[in-house]
């Protein structure tokens, strides 16, 4: 029973050194003491250090750097984002798991996270490299009251939330490259993949996939992206607490999503423009069927990138790969 196991781990974390009585916990959940003891053994196998004190109970003295429910939730300040966490040591892609969960009625704010993805994906089914234990590979299911055509802007909402969280937790200034890249010093540190489950006139669920390179050394990237990718560790020399960063991202994301739903895209657009590295630059926008070149002006109220062409006309772009 993973829910009881998670609850036990959460209490061990929150006890801050005060023993948790195995007997009392067993009674509360109608389990045997042996069942509790088995959970404790499992925790130890997962890398937790647990002290067993006779007649008092269990004390957590050390925990592995994992982005599981307990580690995320002990830092969580949100109302609903991340209150339910579906955690994997390894999976193909959190995006698929989140889609299934959303179809089966998963609550607003349900988070799917994995230490590793074996088939992580970017836009247009491009591969997304997701090394074990090094990054944040997660998909958040949200159910905001938005129209389907308002959903793509959630990529921009998420981008602002991520940049703010990196600023708070790591003290680094990242920039946003429209539409879905977060960059530091010209290299990609984060990619966002926003997908939609929708009725014709109403969003049922938005799945926000976030892939962040955190504690990678350069060799943790496949060779073909070593020149274009970077990680927080490569920039700071330090290991970042991934669970804490997740909690911070979820806080900003919940706040900004609420803002977007209540007040429209205007306030988000202002925030976004402050972090964008695209405006004012000459760019090439590579789309499926054409490539256009011009000066990037900024984004529209609908989240389109506005490009001023050489003949003076202004073109709004829905989605593209931008070459600066
Ligand atoms: C993206 O696509 O940037 C969206 C990435 C979303 C990944 C998350 S992880 C959790 C969730 N589960 C998933 O399976 N996906 C989401 P796009 O803009 O198409 O960029 C893809 C390109 O980025 C690739 O073609 C590579 O060139 C490059 N790339 C691949 N892995 C990378 C990495 N770890 N860091 C930086 N660049 C990478």
């Amino acid at each position: 029973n993973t829910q009881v196991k998670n609850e036990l781990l959460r209490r061990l974390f929150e006890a801050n050194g005060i023993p948790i009585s195995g007997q009392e916990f067993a009674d509360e959940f109608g389990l045997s003491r042996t069942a509790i003891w088995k959970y404790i053994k499992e925790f130890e196998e997962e890398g937790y250090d647990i002290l067993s004190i006779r007649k008092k109970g269990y004390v957590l003295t050390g925990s592995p750097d994992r982005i599981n429910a307990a580690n995320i939730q002990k830092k969580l300040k949100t109302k609903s984002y991340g209150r339910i966490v579906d955690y994997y040591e390894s999976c193909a892609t959190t995006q698929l798991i989140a889609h299934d969960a959303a179809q089966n009625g998963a609550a607003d704010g349900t988070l799917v996270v994995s230490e590793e993805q074996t088939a992580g994906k970017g836009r247009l089914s491009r591969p997304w490299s997701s090394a074990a234990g090094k990054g944040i590979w997660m998909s958040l299911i949200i159910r905001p009251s938005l129209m389907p055509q308002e959903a793509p802007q959630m990529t921009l909402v998420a981008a602002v939330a991520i940049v703010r969280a990196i600023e708070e937790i790591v003290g680094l200034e990242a920039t946003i490259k429209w539409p879905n890249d977060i960059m530091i010093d010209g290299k990609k540190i984060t990619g966002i993949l926003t997908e939609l489950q929708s009725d014709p006139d109403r969003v049922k669920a938005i799945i926000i996939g976030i892939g962040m390179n955190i504690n990678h050394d350069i060799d943790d990237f496949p060779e073909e992206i070593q020149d274009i990718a970077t990680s927080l560790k490569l920039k700071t020399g330090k290991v970042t607490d991934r669970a804490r960063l997740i909690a911070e991202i979820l806080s900003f994301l919940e706040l900004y999503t609420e803002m977007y739903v209540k007040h429209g895209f205007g306030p988000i657009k202002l925030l976004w423009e402050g972090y964008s590295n695209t405006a004012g630059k000459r760019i090439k926008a590579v789309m499926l069927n054409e490539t256009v070149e011009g000066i990037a002006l900024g984004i529209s109220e609908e989240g389109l990138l506005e490009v001023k062409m050489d003949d003076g006309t202004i073109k709004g772009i829905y989605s593209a790969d931008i070459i600066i």
Side-chain angles (χ1 to χ4, degrees), residues 93-95 117 119-123 126-129 136-139 180-181 188 191-193 209-211 213 221 225 228-229 321:
T93 153
T94 56
Q95 214 58 9
Q117 296 185 117
K121 57 169 188 164
R123 292 176 303 156
R126 290 185 281 223
W128 182 259
S129 156
I136 293 175
W137 325 121
M138 68 182 191
S139 301
N180 68 317
D181 296 348
K188 184 158 168 174
I192 304 164
L193 177 66
I210 298 175
N213 306 322
F221 293 111
I225 62 167
I228 56 166
D321 285 304

PDB file of all heavy atoms in Angstrom, residues 93-95 117 119-123 126-129 136-139 180-181 188 191-193 209-211 213 221 225 228-229 321, ligand 1:
ATOM      1  N   THR A  93       8.248   7.575 -20.276  1.00  0.00           N
ATOM      2  CA  THR A  93       8.053   9.021 -20.262  1.00  0.00           C
ATOM      3  C   THR A  93       6.926   9.372 -19.292  1.00  0.00           C
ATOM      4  O   THR A  93       5.864   8.731 -19.312  1.00  0.00           O
ATOM      5  CB  THR A  93       7.752   9.598 -21.672  1.00  0.00           C
ATOM      6  OG1 THR A  93       6.975  10.804 -21.534  1.00  0.00           O
ATOM      7  CG2 THR A  93       6.981   8.636 -22.553  1.00  0.00           C
ATOM      8  N   THR A  94       7.163  10.362 -18.459  1.00  0.00           N
ATOM      9  CA  THR A  94       6.131  10.785 -17.497  1.00  0.00           C
ATOM     10  C   THR A  94       4.924  11.357 -18.234  1.00  0.00           C
ATOM     11  O   THR A  94       3.816  11.371 -17.703  1.00  0.00           O
ATOM     12  CB  THR A  94       6.680  11.858 -16.533  1.00  0.00           C
ATOM     13  OG1 THR A  94       7.189  12.964 -17.295  1.00  0.00           O
ATOM     14  CG2 THR A  94       7.776  11.301 -15.652  1.00  0.00           C
ATOM     15  N   GLN A  95       5.141  11.823 -19.463  1.00  0.00           N
ATOM     16  CA  GLN A  95       4.079  12.445 -20.227  1.00  0.00           C
ATOM     17  C   GLN A  95       2.935  11.451 -20.500  1.00  0.00           C
ATOM     18  O   GLN A  95       1.772  11.777 -20.338  1.00  0.00           O
ATOM     19  CB  GLN A  95       4.698  12.955 -21.535  1.00  0.00           C
ATOM     20  CG  GLN A  95       4.119  14.214 -22.101  1.00  0.00           C
ATOM     21  CD  GLN A  95       4.154  15.461 -21.223  1.00  0.00           C
ATOM     22  OE1 GLN A  95       4.772  15.512 -20.153  1.00  0.00           O
ATOM     23  NE2 GLN A  95       3.457  16.473 -21.664  1.00  0.00           N
ATOM     24  N   GLN A 117      14.046   8.758 -17.381  1.00  0.00           N
ATOM     25  CA  GLN A 117      13.133   8.387 -18.466  1.00  0.00           C
ATOM     26  C   GLN A 117      13.947   7.659 -19.528  1.00  0.00           C
ATOM     27  O   GLN A 117      15.027   8.110 -19.906  1.00  0.00           O
ATOM     28  CB  GLN A 117      12.501   9.624 -19.090  1.00  0.00           C
ATOM     29  CG  GLN A 117      11.612  10.418 -18.136  1.00  0.00           C
ATOM     30  CD  GLN A 117      10.913  11.574 -18.846  1.00  0.00           C
ATOM     31  OE1 GLN A 117       9.714  11.607 -18.928  1.00  0.00           O
ATOM     32  NE2 GLN A 117      11.680  12.507 -19.361  1.00  0.00           N
ATOM     33  N   ALA A 119      12.506   6.895 -22.509  1.00  0.00           N
ATOM     34  CA  ALA A 119      12.028   7.372 -23.814  1.00  0.00           C
ATOM     35  C   ALA A 119      11.422   8.773 -23.662  1.00  0.00           C
ATOM     36  O   ALA A 119      10.316   9.038 -24.119  1.00  0.00           O
ATOM     37  CB  ALA A 119      11.014   6.397 -24.407  1.00  0.00           C
ATOM     38  N   GLY A 120      12.163   9.661 -23.001  1.00  0.00           N
ATOM     39  CA  GLY A 120      11.707  11.044 -22.830  1.00  0.00           C
ATOM     40  C   GLY A 120      11.545  11.695 -24.198  1.00  0.00           C
ATOM     41  O   GLY A 120      12.286  11.394 -25.125  1.00  0.00           O
ATOM     42  N   LYS A 121      10.533  12.573 -24.307  1.00  0.00           N
ATOM     43  CA  LYS A 121      10.295  13.159 -25.621  1.00  0.00           C
ATOM     44  C   LYS A 121      10.148  14.677 -25.547  1.00  0.00           C
ATOM     45  O   LYS A 121       9.684  15.247 -24.568  1.00  0.00           O
ATOM     46  CB  LYS A 121       9.071  12.538 -26.281  1.00  0.00           C
ATOM     47  CG  LYS A 121       7.811  12.672 -25.454  1.00  0.00           C
ATOM     48  CD  LYS A 121       6.591  12.296 -26.266  1.00  0.00           C
ATOM     49  CE  LYS A 121       5.335  12.641 -25.473  1.00  0.00           C
ATOM     50  NZ  LYS A 121       4.128  12.661 -26.261  1.00  0.00           N
ATOM     51  N   GLY A 122      10.568  15.315 -26.637  1.00  0.00           N
ATOM     52  CA  GLY A 122      10.383  16.743 -26.805  1.00  0.00           C
ATOM     53  C   GLY A 122       9.233  16.992 -27.762  1.00  0.00           C
ATOM     54  O   GLY A 122       8.390  16.107 -27.969  1.00  0.00           O
ATOM     55  N   ARG A 123       9.187  18.177 -28.346  1.00  0.00           N
ATOM     56  CA  ARG A 123       8.142  18.465 -29.323  1.00  0.00           C
ATOM     57  C   ARG A 123       8.408  17.643 -30.579  1.00  0.00           C
ATOM     58  O   ARG A 123       9.541  17.254 -30.856  1.00  0.00           O
ATOM     59  CB  ARG A 123       8.147  19.959 -29.663  1.00  0.00           C
ATOM     60  CG  ARG A 123       7.704  20.834 -28.498  1.00  0.00           C
ATOM     61  CD  ARG A 123       7.816  22.295 -28.857  1.00  0.00           C
ATOM     62  NE  ARG A 123       9.171  22.631 -29.260  1.00  0.00           N
ATOM     63  CZ  ARG A 123       9.485  23.673 -30.039  1.00  0.00           C
ATOM     64  NH1 ARG A 123       8.541  24.444 -30.521  1.00  0.00           N
ATOM     65  NH2 ARG A 123      10.739  23.927 -30.328  1.00  0.00           N
ATOM     66  N   ARG A 126      10.692  14.492 -30.764  1.00  0.00           N
ATOM     67  CA  ARG A 126      12.151  14.452 -30.698  1.00  0.00           C
ATOM     68  C   ARG A 126      12.564  13.846 -29.360  1.00  0.00           C
ATOM     69  O   ARG A 126      11.840  13.945 -28.382  1.00  0.00           O
ATOM     70  CB  ARG A 126      12.715  15.871 -30.842  1.00  0.00           C
ATOM     71  CG  ARG A 126      12.535  16.413 -32.244  1.00  0.00           C
ATOM     72  CD  ARG A 126      13.200  17.764 -32.392  1.00  0.00           C
ATOM     73  NE  ARG A 126      12.364  18.794 -31.829  1.00  0.00           N
ATOM     74  CZ  ARG A 126      12.163  19.981 -32.421  1.00  0.00           C
ATOM     75  NH1 ARG A 126      12.733  20.268 -33.575  1.00  0.00           N
ATOM     76  NH2 ARG A 126      11.404  20.885 -31.836  1.00  0.00           N
ATOM     77  N   PRO A 127      13.734  13.199 -29.301  1.00  0.00           N
ATOM     78  CA  PRO A 127      14.126  12.568 -28.036  1.00  0.00           C
ATOM     79  C   PRO A 127      14.540  13.611 -26.989  1.00  0.00           C
ATOM     80  O   PRO A 127      15.106  14.648 -27.336  1.00  0.00           O
ATOM     81  CB  PRO A 127      15.325  11.702 -28.431  1.00  0.00           C
ATOM     82  CG  PRO A 127      15.876  12.337 -29.664  1.00  0.00           C
ATOM     83  CD  PRO A 127      14.709  12.975 -30.374  1.00  0.00           C
ATOM     84  N   TRP A 128      14.233  13.313 -25.738  1.00  0.00           N
ATOM     85  CA  TRP A 128      14.657  14.174 -24.631  1.00  0.00           C
ATOM     86  C   TRP A 128      15.519  13.351 -23.686  1.00  0.00           C
ATOM     87  O   TRP A 128      15.062  12.374 -23.092  1.00  0.00           O
ATOM     88  CB  TRP A 128      13.456  14.758 -23.874  1.00  0.00           C
ATOM     89  CG  TRP A 128      13.906  15.669 -22.782  1.00  0.00           C
ATOM     90  CD1 TRP A 128      13.974  15.378 -21.452  1.00  0.00           C
ATOM     91  CD2 TRP A 128      14.395  17.009 -22.939  1.00  0.00           C
ATOM     92  NE1 TRP A 128      14.473  16.456 -20.766  1.00  0.00           N
ATOM     93  CE2 TRP A 128      14.740  17.465 -21.652  1.00  0.00           C
ATOM     94  CE3 TRP A 128      14.572  17.863 -24.032  1.00  0.00           C
ATOM     95  CZ2 TRP A 128      15.262  18.746 -21.432  1.00  0.00           C
ATOM     96  CZ3 TRP A 128      15.081  19.127 -23.808  1.00  0.00           C
ATOM     97  CH2 TRP A 128      15.415  19.555 -22.527  1.00  0.00           C
ATOM     98  N   SER A 129      16.766  13.711 -23.551  1.00  0.00           N
ATOM     99  CA  SER A 129      17.707  12.952 -22.740  1.00  0.00           C
ATOM    100  C   SER A 129      17.427  13.182 -21.254  1.00  0.00           C
ATOM    101  O   SER A 129      17.356  14.318 -20.788  1.00  0.00           O
ATOM    102  CB  SER A 129      19.124  13.394 -23.117  1.00  0.00           C
ATOM    103  OG  SER A 129      19.994  13.142 -22.057  1.00  0.00           O
ATOM    104  N   ILE A 136      15.283  16.895 -13.334  1.00  0.00           N
ATOM    105  CA  ILE A 136      13.869  16.867 -12.963  1.00  0.00           C
ATOM    106  C   ILE A 136      13.106  16.500 -14.226  1.00  0.00           C
ATOM    107  O   ILE A 136      13.146  17.239 -15.209  1.00  0.00           O
ATOM    108  CB  ILE A 136      13.415  18.242 -12.433  1.00  0.00           C
ATOM    109  CG1 ILE A 136      14.111  18.558 -11.100  1.00  0.00           C
ATOM    110  CG2 ILE A 136      11.892  18.276 -12.273  1.00  0.00           C
ATOM    111  CD1 ILE A 136      13.823  19.955 -10.564  1.00  0.00           C
ATOM    112  N   TRP A 137      12.475  15.351 -14.194  1.00  0.00           N
ATOM    113  CA  TRP A 137      11.672  14.907 -15.333  1.00  0.00           C
ATOM    114  C   TRP A 137      10.263  14.740 -14.797  1.00  0.00           C
ATOM    115  O   TRP A 137       9.999  13.797 -14.049  1.00  0.00           O
ATOM    116  CB  TRP A 137      12.222  13.595 -15.924  1.00  0.00           C
ATOM    117  CG  TRP A 137      13.719  13.460 -15.889  1.00  0.00           C
ATOM    118  CD1 TRP A 137      14.442  12.477 -15.277  1.00  0.00           C
ATOM    119  CD2 TRP A 137      14.699  14.350 -16.489  1.00  0.00           C
ATOM    120  NE1 TRP A 137      15.793  12.696 -15.457  1.00  0.00           N
ATOM    121  CE2 TRP A 137      15.981  13.830 -16.187  1.00  0.00           C
ATOM    122  CE3 TRP A 137      14.622  15.521 -17.233  1.00  0.00           C
ATOM    123  CZ2 TRP A 137      17.173  14.446 -16.602  1.00  0.00           C
ATOM    124  CZ3 TRP A 137      15.804  16.140 -17.648  1.00  0.00           C
ATOM    125  CH2 TRP A 137      17.047  15.598 -17.345  1.00  0.00           C
ATOM    126  N   MET A 138       9.397  15.672 -15.104  1.00  0.00           N
ATOM    127  CA  MET A 138       8.068  15.629 -14.481  1.00  0.00           C
ATOM    128  C   MET A 138       6.969  16.136 -15.394  1.00  0.00           C
ATOM    129  O   MET A 138       7.219  16.903 -16.324  1.00  0.00           O
ATOM    130  CB  MET A 138       8.067  16.439 -13.178  1.00  0.00           C
ATOM    131  CG  MET A 138       8.235  17.936 -13.345  1.00  0.00           C
ATOM    132  SD  MET A 138       8.270  18.716 -11.693  1.00  0.00           S
ATOM    133  CE  MET A 138       8.135  20.458 -12.157  1.00  0.00           C
ATOM    134  N   SER A 139       5.742  15.651 -15.136  1.00  0.00           N
ATOM    135  CA  SER A 139       4.563  16.085 -15.879  1.00  0.00           C
ATOM    136  C   SER A 139       3.479  16.445 -14.878  1.00  0.00           C
ATOM    137  O   SER A 139       3.104  15.616 -14.048  1.00  0.00           O
ATOM    138  CB  SER A 139       4.066  14.977 -16.799  1.00  0.00           C
ATOM    139  OG  SER A 139       5.077  14.594 -17.720  1.00  0.00           O
ATOM    140  N   ASN A 180       9.628  27.474 -25.828  1.00  0.00           N
ATOM    141  CA  ASN A 180       9.631  26.497 -24.735  1.00  0.00           C
ATOM    142  C   ASN A 180      11.005  26.180 -24.145  1.00  0.00           C
ATOM    143  O   ASN A 180      11.152  25.185 -23.467  1.00  0.00           O
ATOM    144  CB  ASN A 180       8.983  25.185 -25.221  1.00  0.00           C
ATOM    145  CG  ASN A 180       9.848  24.490 -26.255  1.00  0.00           C
ATOM    146  OD1 ASN A 180      10.385  25.132 -27.138  1.00  0.00           O
ATOM    147  ND2 ASN A 180       9.999  23.206 -26.122  1.00  0.00           N
ATOM    148  N   ASP A 181      12.000  27.014 -24.426  1.00  0.00           N
ATOM    149  CA  ASP A 181      13.333  26.728 -23.898  1.00  0.00           C
ATOM    150  C   ASP A 181      13.718  27.708 -22.797  1.00  0.00           C
ATOM    151  O   ASP A 181      13.465  28.901 -22.905  1.00  0.00           O
ATOM    152  CB  ASP A 181      14.397  26.870 -24.997  1.00  0.00           C
ATOM    153  CG  ASP A 181      14.235  25.858 -26.110  1.00  0.00           C
ATOM    154  OD1 ASP A 181      13.461  24.903 -25.935  1.00  0.00           O
ATOM    155  OD2 ASP A 181      14.893  26.032 -27.158  1.00  0.00           O
ATOM    156  N   LYS A 188      20.832  25.294 -23.448  1.00  0.00           N
ATOM    157  CA  LYS A 188      19.504  24.895 -22.970  1.00  0.00           C
ATOM    158  C   LYS A 188      19.599  24.137 -21.652  1.00  0.00           C
ATOM    159  O   LYS A 188      20.311  23.146 -21.531  1.00  0.00           O
ATOM    160  CB  LYS A 188      18.826  24.033 -24.039  1.00  0.00           C
ATOM    161  CG  LYS A 188      17.408  23.612 -23.721  1.00  0.00           C
ATOM    162  CD  LYS A 188      16.676  23.253 -25.013  1.00  0.00           C
ATOM    163  CE  LYS A 188      15.363  22.553 -24.762  1.00  0.00           C
ATOM    164  NZ  LYS A 188      14.620  22.338 -26.020  1.00  0.00           N
ATOM    165  N   GLY A 191      13.506  22.276 -21.014  1.00  0.00           N
ATOM    166  CA  GLY A 191      12.533  22.266 -22.107  1.00  0.00           C
ATOM    167  C   GLY A 191      11.143  22.000 -21.554  1.00  0.00           C
ATOM    168  O   GLY A 191      11.000  21.279 -20.564  1.00  0.00           O
ATOM    169  N   ILE A 192      10.152  22.614 -22.177  1.00  0.00           N
ATOM    170  CA  ILE A 192       8.766  22.459 -21.721  1.00  0.00           C
ATOM    171  C   ILE A 192       7.942  21.875 -22.869  1.00  0.00           C
ATOM    172  O   ILE A 192       8.100  22.282 -24.017  1.00  0.00           O
ATOM    173  CB  ILE A 192       8.167  23.819 -21.307  1.00  0.00           C
ATOM    174  CG1 ILE A 192       9.032  24.484 -20.233  1.00  0.00           C
ATOM    175  CG2 ILE A 192       6.726  23.662 -20.807  1.00  0.00           C
ATOM    176  CD1 ILE A 192       8.739  25.966 -20.035  1.00  0.00           C
ATOM    177  N   LEU A 193       7.091  20.937 -22.529  1.00  0.00           N
ATOM    178  CA  LEU A 193       6.208  20.319 -23.526  1.00  0.00           C
ATOM    179  C   LEU A 193       4.777  20.369 -22.999  1.00  0.00           C
ATOM    180  O   LEU A 193       4.441  19.677 -22.053  1.00  0.00           O
ATOM    181  CB  LEU A 193       6.635  18.865 -23.763  1.00  0.00           C
ATOM    182  CG  LEU A 193       5.787  18.040 -24.717  1.00  0.00           C
ATOM    183  CD1 LEU A 193       5.891  18.585 -26.129  1.00  0.00           C
ATOM    184  CD2 LEU A 193       6.221  16.577 -24.689  1.00  0.00           C
ATOM    185  N   GLY A 209       4.756  19.131 -19.347  1.00  0.00           N
ATOM    186  CA  GLY A 209       5.966  18.328 -19.181  1.00  0.00           C
ATOM    187  C   GLY A 209       7.155  19.259 -19.022  1.00  0.00           C
ATOM    188  O   GLY A 209       7.349  20.177 -19.811  1.00  0.00           O
ATOM    189  N   ILE A 210       7.938  19.015 -17.978  1.00  0.00           N
ATOM    190  CA  ILE A 210       9.108  19.866 -17.726  1.00  0.00           C
ATOM    191  C   ILE A 210      10.335  18.977 -17.585  1.00  0.00           C
ATOM    192  O   ILE A 210      10.344  18.034 -16.778  1.00  0.00           O
ATOM    193  CB  ILE A 210       8.900  20.713 -16.448  1.00  0.00           C
ATOM    194  CG1 ILE A 210       7.695  21.655 -16.635  1.00  0.00           C
ATOM    195  CG2 ILE A 210      10.170  21.510 -16.110  1.00  0.00           C
ATOM    196  CD1 ILE A 210       7.328  22.456 -15.398  1.00  0.00           C
ATOM    197  N   GLY A 211      11.344  19.254 -18.376  1.00  0.00           N
ATOM    198  CA  GLY A 211      12.607  18.523 -18.284  1.00  0.00           C
ATOM    199  C   GLY A 211      13.720  19.496 -17.940  1.00  0.00           C
ATOM    200  O   GLY A 211      13.977  20.429 -18.689  1.00  0.00           O
ATOM    201  N   ASN A 213      17.776  20.063 -16.587  1.00  0.00           N
ATOM    202  CA  ASN A 213      19.093  19.506 -16.301  1.00  0.00           C
ATOM    203  C   ASN A 213      19.628  20.151 -15.026  1.00  0.00           C
ATOM    204  O   ASN A 213      19.864  21.349 -14.995  1.00  0.00           O
ATOM    205  CB  ASN A 213      20.045  19.795 -17.462  1.00  0.00           C
ATOM    206  CG  ASN A 213      19.479  19.307 -18.784  1.00  0.00           C
ATOM    207  OD1 ASN A 213      18.854  18.251 -18.840  1.00  0.00           O
ATOM    208  ND2 ASN A 213      19.691  20.078 -19.839  1.00  0.00           N
ATOM    209  N   PHE A 221      25.449  13.983 -20.395  1.00  0.00           N
ATOM    210  CA  PHE A 221      24.677  14.240 -21.612  1.00  0.00           C
ATOM    211  C   PHE A 221      25.203  13.366 -22.738  1.00  0.00           C
ATOM    212  O   PHE A 221      26.410  13.138 -22.837  1.00  0.00           O
ATOM    213  CB  PHE A 221      24.822  15.700 -22.053  1.00  0.00           C
ATOM    214  CG  PHE A 221      24.199  16.688 -21.108  1.00  0.00           C
ATOM    215  CD1 PHE A 221      24.989  17.540 -20.356  1.00  0.00           C
ATOM    216  CD2 PHE A 221      22.820  16.784 -20.987  1.00  0.00           C
ATOM    217  CE1 PHE A 221      24.421  18.465 -19.491  1.00  0.00           C
ATOM    218  CE2 PHE A 221      22.240  17.710 -20.127  1.00  0.00           C
ATOM    219  CZ  PHE A 221      23.043  18.550 -19.379  1.00  0.00           C
ATOM    220  N   ILE A 225      24.450  16.315 -27.738  1.00  0.00           N
ATOM    221  CA  ILE A 225      23.902  17.572 -27.204  1.00  0.00           C
ATOM    222  C   ILE A 225      24.848  18.268 -26.216  1.00  0.00           C
ATOM    223  O   ILE A 225      24.489  19.273 -25.610  1.00  0.00           O
ATOM    224  CB  ILE A 225      22.507  17.378 -26.565  1.00  0.00           C
ATOM    225  CG1 ILE A 225      22.560  16.415 -25.384  1.00  0.00           C
ATOM    226  CG2 ILE A 225      21.479  16.912 -27.593  1.00  0.00           C
ATOM    227  CD1 ILE A 225      21.274  16.437 -24.542  1.00  0.00           C
ATOM    228  N   ILE A 228      25.088  21.956 -26.804  1.00  0.00           N
ATOM    229  CA  ILE A 228      23.910  22.828 -26.736  1.00  0.00           C
ATOM    230  C   ILE A 228      23.202  22.775 -25.382  1.00  0.00           C
ATOM    231  O   ILE A 228      22.342  23.598 -25.105  1.00  0.00           O
ATOM    232  CB  ILE A 228      22.883  22.492 -27.852  1.00  0.00           C
ATOM    233  CG1 ILE A 228      22.476  21.015 -27.785  1.00  0.00           C
ATOM    234  CG2 ILE A 228      23.464  22.805 -29.242  1.00  0.00           C
ATOM    235  CD1 ILE A 228      21.234  20.699 -28.607  1.00  0.00           C
ATOM    236  N   ALA A 229      23.573  21.804 -24.536  1.00  0.00           N
ATOM    237  CA  ALA A 229      22.879  21.636 -23.247  1.00  0.00           C
ATOM    238  C   ALA A 229      23.781  22.052 -22.093  1.00  0.00           C
ATOM    239  O   ALA A 229      25.010  21.979 -22.186  1.00  0.00           O
ATOM    240  CB  ALA A 229      22.463  20.177 -23.068  1.00  0.00           C
ATOM    241  N   ASP A 321      11.061  26.488 -34.253  1.00  0.00           N
ATOM    242  CA  ASP A 321      12.368  26.461 -33.616  1.00  0.00           C
ATOM    243  C   ASP A 321      13.060  27.755 -34.001  1.00  0.00           C
ATOM    244  O   ASP A 321      13.155  28.092 -35.180  1.00  0.00           O
ATOM    245  CB  ASP A 321      13.184  25.258 -34.094  1.00  0.00           C
ATOM    246  CG  ASP A 321      12.679  23.976 -33.452  1.00  0.00           C
ATOM    247  OD1 ASP A 321      12.645  23.931 -32.205  1.00  0.00           O
ATOM    248  OD2 ASP A 321      12.307  23.053 -34.189  1.00  0.00           O
TER     249      ASP A 321
HETATM  250  C1  LIG B   1      11.514  20.266 -25.501  1.00  0.00           C
HETATM  251  O1  LIG B   1      11.345  19.841 -26.808  1.00  0.00           O
HETATM  252  O2  LIG B   1      12.348  21.043 -25.149  1.00  0.00           O
HETATM  253  C2  LIG B   1      10.524  19.660 -24.502  1.00  0.00           C
HETATM  254  C3  LIG B   1      11.194  18.756 -23.516  1.00  0.00           C
HETATM  255  C4  LIG B   1      10.221  18.222 -22.482  1.00  0.00           C
HETATM  256  C5  LIG B   1      10.820  17.148 -21.640  1.00  0.00           C
HETATM  257  C6  LIG B   1       9.918  16.746 -20.504  1.00  0.00           C
HETATM  258  S1  LIG B   1      10.712  15.719 -19.342  1.00  0.00           S
HETATM  259  C7  LIG B   1       9.239  15.340 -18.563  1.00  0.00           C
HETATM  260  C8  LIG B   1       8.226  15.138 -19.686  1.00  0.00           C
HETATM  261  N1  LIG B   1       8.299  13.774 -20.174  1.00  0.00           N
HETATM  262  C9  LIG B   1       8.720  13.724 -21.435  1.00  0.00           C
HETATM  263  O3  LIG B   1       8.892  12.673 -22.090  1.00  0.00           O
HETATM  264  N2  LIG B   1       8.937  14.970 -21.901  1.00  0.00           N
HETATM  265  C10 LIG B   1       8.667  15.976 -20.893  1.00  0.00           C
HETATM  266  P1  LIG B   1      12.091  20.454 -28.066  1.00  0.00           P
HETATM  267  O4  LIG B   1      11.975  21.942 -28.060  1.00  0.00           O
HETATM  268  O5  LIG B   1      11.544  19.705 -29.212  1.00  0.00           O
HETATM  269  O6  LIG B   1      13.600  20.109 -27.850  1.00  0.00           O
HETATM  270  C11 LIG B   1      14.121  18.818 -28.105  1.00  0.00           C
HETATM  271  C12 LIG B   1      15.586  18.965 -28.493  1.00  0.00           C
HETATM  272  O7  LIG B   1      16.348  19.383 -27.355  1.00  0.00           O
HETATM  273  C13 LIG B   1      16.228  17.665 -28.933  1.00  0.00           C
HETATM  274  O8  LIG B   1      16.058  17.494 -30.301  1.00  0.00           O
HETATM  275  C14 LIG B   1      17.697  17.861 -28.555  1.00  0.00           C
HETATM  276  O9  LIG B   1      18.378  18.586 -29.544  1.00  0.00           O
HETATM  277  C15 LIG B   1      17.628  18.750 -27.343  1.00  0.00           C
HETATM  278  N3  LIG B   1      17.738  17.993 -26.079  1.00  0.00           N
HETATM  279  C16 LIG B   1      17.406  16.702 -25.814  1.00  0.00           C
HETATM  280  N4  LIG B   1      17.605  16.407 -24.529  1.00  0.00           N
HETATM  281  C17 LIG B   1      18.081  17.543 -23.944  1.00  0.00           C
HETATM  282  C18 LIG B   1      18.479  17.876 -22.612  1.00  0.00           C
HETATM  283  N5  LIG B   1      18.411  17.011 -21.602  1.00  0.00           N
HETATM  284  N6  LIG B   1      18.930  19.148 -22.409  1.00  0.00           N
HETATM  285  C19 LIG B   1      19.000  20.050 -23.400  1.00  0.00           C
HETATM  286  N7  LIG B   1      18.640  19.788 -24.659  1.00  0.00           N
HETATM  287  C20 LIG B   1      18.176  18.544 -24.942  1.00  0.00           C
END
